[in-house]
Amino acid sequence: MFDLPVLSLMTFLPLVGVLFIVSVRSTDEEVMARNAKNTALFTSLFTTALGVYLAMQFDPADAGFQFVERMEWFPSLGISYYMGVDGISLFFVLLSAFLVPICILASWHSIKTRVKEFMIAFLILESLMIGTFCALDMFLFYVFFEAVLIPMFIIIGVWGGARRVYSAYKFFLYTLLGSVLMLVAMLVLYAQVGTSEIPVLMENPVVRDLQIWLWLAVFASFAVKMPMWPVHTWLPDAHVEAPTAGSVILAGVLLKMGGYGFLRFSLPMFPEASEVFAPMVFWLSVVAIIYTSLVALVQEDIKKLIAYSSVAHMGYVTLGIFTATTQGIEGGIFQMISHGLISGALFLSVGVIYDRLHTREIGRYGGIVKNMPKYATVFMILMLGSVGLPGTSGFVGEFLTLVGIYQVDTLVTLFAATGLIVGAPYMLYLYRRVVFGKQVNDDAAKMSDLNLRELSLFIPLVAMVIYFGFFPGYILDRINPSVDRLISTYESGLQKGEMRRAALLEAAQVKPAAGLDTQAVGTVPAFAPVHTDDAMDGGDLPMPIINYNE
Amino acid sequence: MTFEYLAVFSPLLGFIISFLFGKKIGARGSQIVTCGLMFVAAFSAINLFFSVILGGTQYVVPLAEWVSSDFFSANWALRFDTLSVVMMCVITIVSTCVHVYSVGYMSHDPHRSRFMSYLSLFTFAMLMLVSADNLLQLFFGWEGVGLASYLLIGFWNTKDSANSAAMKAFIVNRVGDFGLALGIMACFVVFGSINFETIFAGVESKQDLSVNFVGFDVHALTLIGLLLFTGAVGKSAQLGLHTWLPDAMEGPTPVSALIHAATMVTAGVFLVARFSPLYEYAPIALMVITIFGACTALVAATIGLTQFDIKRVIAYSTMSQLGYMFFALGVSAYGAAIFHLMTHAFFKALLFLGAGSVIHAMSDEQDMRNMGGIWKKIPFTYAMMWIGSLALAGVPLFAGYYSKDMIIEVAYADQTWFGDLAFTFGIIAAALTAFYSWRLILLTFHGKPRADKHVMDHVHESPPVMTAPLLVLAVGAIFSGAVFYNGFVGGHHDAHHGEAAVHAEVTPHAGDDMHHDTHAEVAHAEEGHHDLFAALNDRNLFWQNAIKVLPENDTVDAAHSVPFWVKKLPILMSALGIALAYIFYLVAPSLPALFSKAFKPVHSLFFRKWYFDELYDYIFVKNSLRLGLWFTWADRRIIDRFGPDGFANASAFVAKCSSRFQSGFIYQYAFVMLIGLVLAMLWIAPFDFSGLIDVLKSNFGK
């Protein structure tokens, strides 16, 4: 149906750009840098163009995976190169493709050393990000998901600020810990169900007790990426030390991998465990919203402040996703996209003044509305988006998640909705201290307003923040069918679990001593064999490789 | 159909043009564009008013889809019924006056384009609020006016006090919005929709419904009513969330007139009136509203007595008058509340703009202690302030007389304990209102000049561009009461009519089912067209179905037959207040000081605004910052220490220990090997040394 392998093209085009950059050799440092920048920009722009094509060809009514590509990879193990997007992943792919050229443009002058390597790292990062959101094979996903860590680690560690090494290692340590557990979970899942194809796995949940363990294992990975409280402390450090472009991509795309993981793995594959752990997630999210908002209030470092605000905004996402309601999940996805735009742009705007004054300390600025009126306007709109004012995209996501959670638990809602209150002061206070007030620092008073290059970075972002605030339909209409499908998968998973337990209970009552070990039947064994009628409705699945009862 | 779009979107266009192209078209260009478009909007709104009142039609103009997620859907749409067109007329007329006035008032400001654009932005948001046909669009307008208010309070953004006031306004309002947002969600869960039509149609069937909220089973409609009212408390500066309003006076005076007196702060009143079909079935919510309103009316008036900043006095007066409106709502007299909203908009905007004219004349002096003796120099402004104050005090024939007395009468007619409370507080506040109004006039205009000579020499009447709007508002402040009395609250109650038309609706719009369509046809057939005179003389014809009052709650009807003394008491109290003010500030000017000394604790309670600010600062502001610092500490010292840093330190420690073994000295390695060897042998052959001993004996034991 689709002749063009768009997803593979989008994923690997940046790597072609890398090849170009590597293959040009010159003794002149400047020529190499310029070549690298131009190549990176054009490759990423071309990827964006492919993204536009993808968005236009995407069928909004289709809930399933589109643009599916499939090639054998490890045929003996049944692992394949399997790509596709649905409404849930589409916008993350687009967001990645959209933000990378902006990041490259933002680094045009601010990256002065090892320009070539920086551009290479960024293109590799883009390739891996897009791959993560397109992968439909669990192990393929894992490879992309984990590999993202490497270029990001390098970007922070090489082009970062003074404490970059500490931050880079902290980032690495946190995320690695989660990934190891996730790999174990994937191997167990593979062993149990016998396939690594995500769509099949979604339809075949394992037994409840195993779900609990696997859920916790993947949660460790996604919660760190998100990041959820209390495993969020790597984020402020990483943001503070990362170069502007690194921060943008970190806040804009990398954090969304956690939420995407919850949507792809936790909710559909482990529905019963998700139900069990949902209250825990809710309260962690509520703590994140309130705790980090208050922490943000007392920060003196602009980037740290915005980083903490990210944690609070991601709190809404986790809250929404685990409500398993249409509004909650759609709100969560929308919030992620909106946060990608807003916080990405906020980090860009921090970069703008950092480039001029080389400090992130709030107290060093003040009254810059006088010499930077355009900047003040852009920053104002972004601030309002972050606060979640209706008419910006920030509102839609936040409000929908709250509508979702209200249907599930009003007490949680009561606390989460205080985010409306505590979410405002820190941004207003930041704005007041940086943009308004008297000009106390002569250097800050002399900063020049946004130039054409910077304006061209902000205008698309700001336009989208406002457009999606007034007309979120473009996004909501496309994610809706897939979300409905996700919810029905989730609910049928719960039903299957219910039936399975009922069947076991019945078996225990009907033939208590029919040659079976009574003790084992009375309590559901942790590694029970897969019931053929459950696991096999996927069709022609290979038999489970390991049966733990043997 | 064009008037509908023009009325709402002209201000938006004005905002966009003067904001984006303000530099290109210049300050004068922005002023012409925004004012011109405001005239268009006002003209359209008045047109709509007549077409809705005369045509007897209510309708919704759908614009576009906004948020749609499963059943949770909200469209951009414009709803036109009596309530919304009345609000639109008030908003656009006052806004036009303020736009024009601002041309003169802000003439020395370098950012005139920006100022005009913000004013237009505000007007647009306010129009979106009142013309919403669902709660989400209302919320959009609600937050939009909050944003405009924030921007305009902090317009002089180099002033720290202005920035603080702007932030305070935003954040305190957010506390109210928190309640409003929860109310919207509760509405969605209870009614399955956030469209007004669906909600109002479902109210009757849900009147006994209980829902669980944070673990308690509560009456659903009361819950929704109270949550929505929380929003109103914030936006309309009712007691508890009022602290932002006096501080908001840091903004330029036209802003205070438009936003913090005439329109935005009345959004809460509008919200409750809009939800009259729901509140009618939530008597406890109504009771709470009455009590809040009554207390606000009284407390604000007491504070107003003691303030010296001319704008703050009027601000507290606004708060007090909003209290009146709320207790009118609380006793189901929605028409009376909106009536007072309208008259108040005119006379309070007049007072504010008049005060602005005074401040302008006095070279930006706002403290009444530094004024006095200027009435001869600015006679026009003086006259305007008199008209405004007469209307505010409720002197017969002026607008306030009709609306305020009506409110006091409905409170009496309610015949409940909280109605009586409101009546008592209302009567006392009426005297206080008259007192502080004349205190303001006497301190500002009469007595000996207390300003220095330089300022006094500069006192001058404002230019025509500022006085003309005052004149328009003065006309409203004088005549709006008498002209619209019968329409808003007059006429006889017709129970049958009210009942039949309860659900009558509206031209079909997206999401409406057949059920509604049939109702709409019935309504059209019943009502049809009627003439202006009839509409303005019968409140049922006037309001149509925009507000709903249950027959047994119809206090407006009952208010027409209250005892004679109830009707006359407010005027008496006002007269008393005015007389006292004359004695205190003209006849015996030493009295105020004496009184404030004699009643020191009471005076300081009033003067320090009942210590709300201090209390909130202590409880909320300080503690938030403290918690923030504590959590920051916890991030470093607890999470990091036992998390990644702890892990890193632990592994570093282990590595350090194990690195000791790699010293590089052969003899150490040999020694360790030897020990290992011995240990291994011991492990292999524990306690069985007999063989070894035999070997040793055979070799060495000779």
Side-chain angles (χ1 to χ4, degrees):
Chain A
M1 190 172 157
F2 300 104
D3 302 317
L4 206 60
V6 193
L7 299 180
S8 291
L9 275 176
M10 284 185 77
T11 307
F12 296 109
L13 193 66
L15 293 184
V16 176
V18 170
L19 274 183
F20 271 110
I21 295 178
V22 173
S23 60
V24 172
R25 287 186 176 269
S26 164
T27 45
D28 191 348
E29 195 71 23
E30 196 130 315
V31 172
M32 285 235 293
R34 199 161 22 153
N35 168 62
K37 283 194 274 196
N38 283 325
T39 314
L41 181 65
F42 282 111
T43 332
S44 56
L45 277 176
F46 204 75
T47 315
T48 313
L50 280 173
V52 173
Y53 174 80
L54 179 75
M56 289 195 308
Q57 294 291 315
F58 187 85
D59 178 8
D62 187 354
F65 290 100
Q66 305 181 31
F67 305 96
V68 173
E69 298 165 32
R70 195 169 192 168
M71 270 184 294
E72 287 198 336
W73 193 17
F74 296 110
S76 54
L77 296 174
I79 299 173
S80 54
Y81 172 82
Y82 186 14
M83 306 275 267
V85 289
D86 66 351
I88 293 172
S89 52
L90 171 72
F91 289 98
F92 296 115
V93 175
L94 296 179
L95 192 65
S96 313
F98 177 71
L99 282 179
V100 170
I102 289 179
C103 287
I104 288 171
L105 261 180
S107 323
W108 212 250
H109 297 302
S110 57
I111 298 292
K112 294 191 174 72
T113 53
R114 300 172 190 269
V115 180
K116 186 177 124 183
E117 287 79 4
F118 183 85
M119 295 299 159
I120 292 173
F122 236 89
L123 288 177
I124 293 176
L125 187 62
E126 174 172 28
S127 165
L128 297 173
M129 288 186 309
I130 294 175
T132 308
F133 294 122
C134 295
L136 287 186
D137 185 280
M138 188 165 63
F139 293 110
L140 186 64
F141 172 84
Y142 186 80
V143 169
F144 281 126
F145 185 85
E146 292 309 324
V148 165
L149 202 58
I150 301 164
M152 198 63 219
F153 175 77
I154 293 172
I155 287 170
I156 297 174
V158 175
W159 293 276
R163 295 178 73 226
R164 58 179 183 268
V165 176
Y166 171 77
S167 301
Y169 274 103
K170 201 172 180 182
F171 167 69
F172 199 82
L173 211 67
Y174 255 124
T175 29
L176 200 70
L177 184 77
S179 337
V180 171
L181 291 173
M182 186 166 80
L183 182 63
V184 175
M186 284 181 169
L187 289 171
V188 173
L189 200 61
Y190 178 68
Q192 280 285 295
V193 187
T195 177
S196 61
E197 289 177 10
I198 290 173
V200 182
L201 287 167
M202 285 202 238
E203 301 296 328
N204 298 285
V206 292
V207 291
R208 185 190 164 95
D209 285 24
L210 184 57
Q211 276 190 27
I212 302 273
W213 290 108
L214 297 182
W215 189 94
L216 283 172
V218 298
F219 180 75
S221 179
F222 297 139
V224 166
K225 268 269 161 40
M226 201 77 208
M228 291 178 74
W229 186 87
V231 287
H232 65 282
T233 58
W234 63 271
L235 186 71
D237 282 314
H239 269 310
V240 164
E241 298 306 331
T244 301
S247 286
V248 173
I249 219 72
L250 185 59
V253 183
L254 259 58
L255 301 190
K256 278 74 204 173
M257 291 183 173
Y260 177 73
F262 285 137
L263 290 165
R264 271 282 180 273
F265 290 85
S266 305
L267 215 51
M269 292 185 197
F270 318 120
E272 289 174 85
S274 294
E275 201 186 30
V276 170
F277 288 114
M280 181 190 85
V281 175
F282 293 159
W283 286 109
L284 285 180
S285 310
V286 166
V287 171
I289 292 170
I290 298 170
Y291 179 106
T292 49
S293 295
L294 290 173
V295 172
L297 195 58
V298 296
Q299 296 308 309
E300 292 299 326
D301 183 311
I302 307 179
K303 270 187 147 181
K304 214 166 214 178
L305 192 152
I306 298 171
Y308 274 112
S309 84
S310 288
V311 182
H313 285 124
M314 289 297 112
Y316 285 105
V317 175
T318 42
L319 199 65
I321 289 174
F322 283 95
T323 60
T325 57
T326 312
Q327 288 86 25
I329 296 179
E330 288 187 13
I333 298 173
F334 198 91
Q335 172 81 345
M336 282 196 267
I337 296 157
S338 150
H339 177 263
L341 298 171
I342 293 171
S343 72
L346 274 172
F347 279 115
L348 272 184
S349 48
V350 176
V352 165
I353 49 176
Y354 183 81
D355 284 350
R356 286 162 173 68
L357 209 58
H358 300 288
T359 177
R360 295 181 309 265
E361 199 188 323
I362 297 172
R364 302 278 295 148
Y365 297 92
I368 62 172
V369 62
K370 208 166 179 185
N371 46 319
M372 302 176 78
K374 283 180 205 153
Y375 177 78
T377 306
V378 168
F379 197 23
M380 169 68 80
I381 295 169
L382 297 173
M383 175 197 85
L384 295 171
S386 173
V387 167
L389 203 83
T392 64
S393 59
F395 169 73
V396 180
E398 206 172 288
F399 202 85
L400 281 177
T401 54
L402 288 176
V403 170
I405 182 71
Y406 190 96
Q407 299 163 52
V408 179
D409 191 334
T410 44
L411 187 65
V412 173
T413 317
L414 193 71
F415 281 97
T418 56
L420 287 176
I421 306 168
V422 295
Y426 59 85
M427 284 312 282
L428 295 176
Y429 194 42
L430 168 73
Y431 194 84
R432 177 192 160 177
R433 286 185 291 171
V434 171
V435 180
F436 287 159
K438 290 195 179 63
Q439 297 193 316
V440 284
N441 183 348
D442 286 343
D443 294 331
K446 271 186 262 169
M447 296 193 298
S448 56
D449 206 352
L450 298 177
N451 60 34
L452 203 63
R453 175 183 63 93
E454 287 160 340
L455 260 183
S456 69
L457 301 179
F458 283 115
I459 285 173
L461 287 169
V462 168
M464 281 165 95
V465 167
I466 294 175
Y467 179 80
F468 290 131
F470 281 91
F471 306 103
Y474 182 82
I475 295 177
L476 290 177
D477 291 348
R478 279 164 181 74
I479 59 182
N480 181 274
S482 298
V483 168
D484 279 346
R485 197 174 124 124
L486 172 64
I487 290 173
S488 66
T489 308
Y490 171 78
E491 274 164 3
S492 76
L494 285 182
Q495 265 175 2
K496 277 180 199 168
E498 200 77 29
M499 276 154 53
R500 186 152 32 188
R501 256 176 298 158
L504 267 176
L505 218 63
E506 208 174 304
Q509 281 165 353
V510 170
K511 31 182 183 175
L516 277 166
D517 187 348
T518 30
Q519 276 181 325
V521 176
T523 56
V524 182
F527 295 100
V530 178
H531 276 246
T532 41
D533 58 326
D534 285 338
M536 289 300 123
D537 22 20
D540 48 347
L541 286 174
M543 281 300 287
I545 292 174
I546 305 166
N547 192 329
Y548 281 84
N549 271 28
E550 281 174 8
Chain B
M1 282 307 238
T2 42
F3 283 131
E4 285 86 347
Y5 295 111
L6 282 177
V8 177
F9 293 108
S10 305
L12 177 67
L13 190 65
F15 160 68
I16 293 172
I17 293 174
S18 58
F19 187 79
L20 290 182
F21 309 109
K23 274 232 178 77
K24 286 218 177 69
I25 57 176
R28 185 43 49 110
S30 301
Q31 287 162 349
I32 292 169
V33 167
T34 48
C35 292
L37 285 165
M38 274 317 301
F39 274 110
V40 172
F43 177 75
S44 312
I46 293 167
N47 244 299
L48 288 168
F49 175 78
F50 285 116
S51 72
V52 168
I53 304 292
L54 291 180
T57 52
Q58 311 183 0
Y59 54 97
V60 172
V61 181
L63 298 173
E65 185 187 72
W66 186 16
V67 179
S68 166
S69 172
D70 211 13
F71 296 110
F72 185 87
S73 78
N75 289 336
W76 296 109
L78 304 177
R79 177 193 170 101
F80 294 92
D81 60 9
T82 310
L83 186 59
S84 58
V85 290
V86 166
M87 290 298 292
M88 287 169 97
C89 282
V90 171
I91 293 160
T92 51
I93 292 171
V94 176
S95 181
T96 309
C97 291
V98 170
H99 268 79
V100 174
Y101 180 92
S102 301
V103 172
Y105 191 85
M106 301 296 283
S107 57
H108 304 303
D109 197 283
H111 302 293
R112 276 160 289 174
S113 300
R114 191 155 58 88
F115 185 77
M116 299 308 279
S117 73
Y118 288 170
L119 283 182
S120 287
L121 171 68
F122 165 79
T123 312
F124 167 69
M126 192 71 202
L127 290 169
M128 286 300 270
L129 195 165
V130 297
S131 63
D133 95 318
N134 60 65
L135 273 167
L136 208 64
Q137 185 181 331
L138 186 139
F139 195 71
F140 166 80
W142 194 267
E143 296 271 281
V145 292
L147 166 68
S149 160
Y150 163 78
L151 291 172
L152 283 165
I153 295 170
F155 183 74
W156 287 316
N157 53 39
T158 48
K159 261 170 77 183
D160 271 344
S161 56
N163 287 328
S164 303
M167 267 182 71
K168 188 173 175 184
F170 197 99
I171 294 164
V172 175
N173 266 299
R174 274 261 155 165
V175 178
D177 298 346
F178 157 79
L180 180 57
L182 285 177
I184 296 173
M185 293 164 211
C187 258
F188 175 65
V189 169
V190 170
F191 296 102
S193 168
I194 52 168
N195 274 330
F196 292 157
E197 276 334 305
T198 325
I199 293 172
F200 298 156
V203 165
E204 247 175 305
S205 61
K206 311 267 186 203
Q207 55 176 309
D208 296 320
L209 182 74
S210 281
V211 289
N212 188 292
F213 186 71
V214 290
F216 301 97
D217 277 321
V218 289
H219 183 223
L221 300 183
T222 306
L223 172 73
I224 294 172
L226 288 176
L227 287 173
L228 294 181
F229 177 61
T230 314
V233 170
K235 196 60 85 192
S236 297
Q238 294 300 287
L239 210 58
L241 296 178
H242 65 281
T243 54
W244 64 273
L245 183 61
D247 287 21
M249 298 302 127
E250 288 291 340
T253 308
V255 175
S256 312
L258 177 62
I259 301 184
H260 306 118
T263 54
M264 184 186 84
V265 288
T266 60
V269 180
F270 166 79
L271 174 68
V272 176
R274 172 58 88 208
F275 271 78
S276 58
L278 187 141
Y279 279 105
E280 281 301 287
Y281 293 96
I284 294 174
L286 284 179
M287 183 185 81
V288 173
I289 293 174
T290 315
I291 296 168
F292 260 90
C295 293
T296 308
L298 186 66
V299 169
T302 60
I303 302 173
L305 293 178
T306 57
Q307 299 300 306
F308 287 107
D309 185 315
I310 185 169
K311 284 178 71 183
R312 280 182 191 244
V313 173
I314 309 177
Y316 280 108
S317 157
T318 304
M319 189 179 144
S320 171
Q321 297 301 308
L322 289 166
Y324 276 94
M325 294 175 211
F326 272 102
F327 73 69
L329 295 168
V331 296
S332 294
Y334 308 101
I338 298 294
F339 186 35
H340 194 54
L341 187 160
M342 180 192 70
T343 59
H344 174 258
F346 287 118
F347 63 70
K348 195 48 71 65
L350 177 66
L351 278 172
F352 259 120
L353 293 185
S357 187
V358 170
I359 295 166
H360 196 70
M362 298 290 291
S363 315
D364 294 333
E365 178 60 61
Q366 298 199 9
D367 194 326
M368 294 194 292
R369 282 171 294 194
N370 300 330
M371 295 179 181
I374 53 171
W375 71 273
K376 274 189 187 144
K377 293 194 170 185
I378 44 172
F380 181 80
T381 306
Y382 178 59
M384 291 300 125
M385 291 298 275
W386 260 90
I387 293 172
S389 298
L390 287 169
L392 172 62
V395 173
L397 303 180
F398 288 89
Y401 167 71
Y402 296 94
S403 54
K404 194 164 140 191
D405 282 16
M406 189 68 208
I407 287 181
I408 291 174
E409 284 158 24
V410 293
Y412 179 85
D414 192 47
Q415 303 288 358
T416 51
W417 69 266
F418 50 90
D420 291 344
L421 176 90
F423 173 70
T424 317
F425 281 12
I427 286 290
I428 300 171
L432 301 179
T433 306
F435 181 84
Y436 65 64
S437 298
W438 263 264
R439 174 176 175 265
L440 186 149
I441 287 188
L442 296 173
L443 276 177
T444 308
F445 293 101
H446 293 269
K448 282 201 188 95
R450 291 179 295 273
D452 59 45
K453 195 172 173 311
H454 183 71
V455 173
M456 285 304 288
D457 287 345
H458 272 81
V459 173
H460 56 284
E461 192 58 88
S462 300
V465 74
M466 286 167 71
T467 50
L470 288 178
L471 213 55
V472 174
L473 291 171
V475 170
I478 298 172
F479 298 110
S480 65
V483 171
F484 292 105
Y485 180 79
N486 283 331
F488 277 79
V489 291
H492 292 289
H493 179 67
D494 180 355
H496 175 72
H497 179 97
E499 281 295 298
V502 162
H503 299 304
E505 264 328 303
V506 170
T507 46
H509 62 283
D512 254 2
D513 49 21
M514 284 303 291
H515 179 72
H516 283 136
D517 289 352
T518 42
H519 266 304
E521 277 159 28
V522 173
H524 277 282
E526 261 187 13
E527 296 190 347
H529 294 250
H530 38 254
D531 62 74
L532 181 62
F533 182 76
L536 287 183
N537 270 307
D538 183 52
R539 64 193 166 97
N540 291 316
L541 287 179
F542 181 79
W543 284 113
Q544 299 159 37
N545 312 306
I547 56 175
K548 181 189 174 182
V549 185
L550 292 180
E552 63 268 28
N553 289 352
D554 195 357
T555 46
V556 173
D557 197 47
H560 291 298
S561 48
V562 291
F564 181 73
W565 66 269
V566 174
K567 278 188 189 294
K568 293 302 164 203
L569 194 58
I571 308 162
L572 209 67
M573 294 304 274
S574 296
L576 181 73
I578 296 172
L580 274 177
Y582 263 93
I583 295 170
F584 269 59
Y585 292 97
L586 214 57
V587 182
S590 57
L591 268 179
L594 267 177
F595 260 80
S596 61
K597 222 173 244 163
F599 301 99
K600 183 85 183 140
V602 180
H603 179 263
S604 33
L605 178 71
F606 294 173
F607 189 67
R608 304 297 299 275
K609 305 165 268 184
W610 294 58
Y611 298 104
F612 272 101
D613 277 323
E614 288 81 355
L615 200 69
Y616 286 174
D617 189 55
Y618 187 74
I619 298 177
F620 297 113
V621 181
K622 291 232 166 71
N623 280 335
S624 312
L625 292 172
R626 204 172 292 157
L627 270 177
L629 285 171
W630 197 84
F631 287 154
T632 312
W633 178 87
D635 258 15
R636 283 271 157 273
R637 293 288 154 201
I638 298 177
I639 297 179
D640 274 358
R641 189 174 176 188
F642 297 107
D645 290 356
F647 183 76
N649 289 342
S651 49
F653 180 73
V654 172
K656 211 176 194 177
C657 290
S658 54
S659 73
R660 290 235 176 98
F661 292 104
Q662 299 182 19
S663 58
F665 298 110
I666 302 286
Y667 68 89
Q668 277 187 4
Y669 294 166
F671 182 64
V672 171
M673 273 168 74
L674 193 67
I675 292 175
L677 199 67
V678 170
L679 285 176
M681 281 168 67
L682 285 176
W683 188 48
I684 293 164
F687 310 114
D688 186 12
F689 295 105
S690 52
L692 186 66
I693 290 166
D694 286 347
V695 172
L696 288 173
K697 267 184 186 166
S698 62
N699 282 327
F700 301 104
K702 284 173 188 170

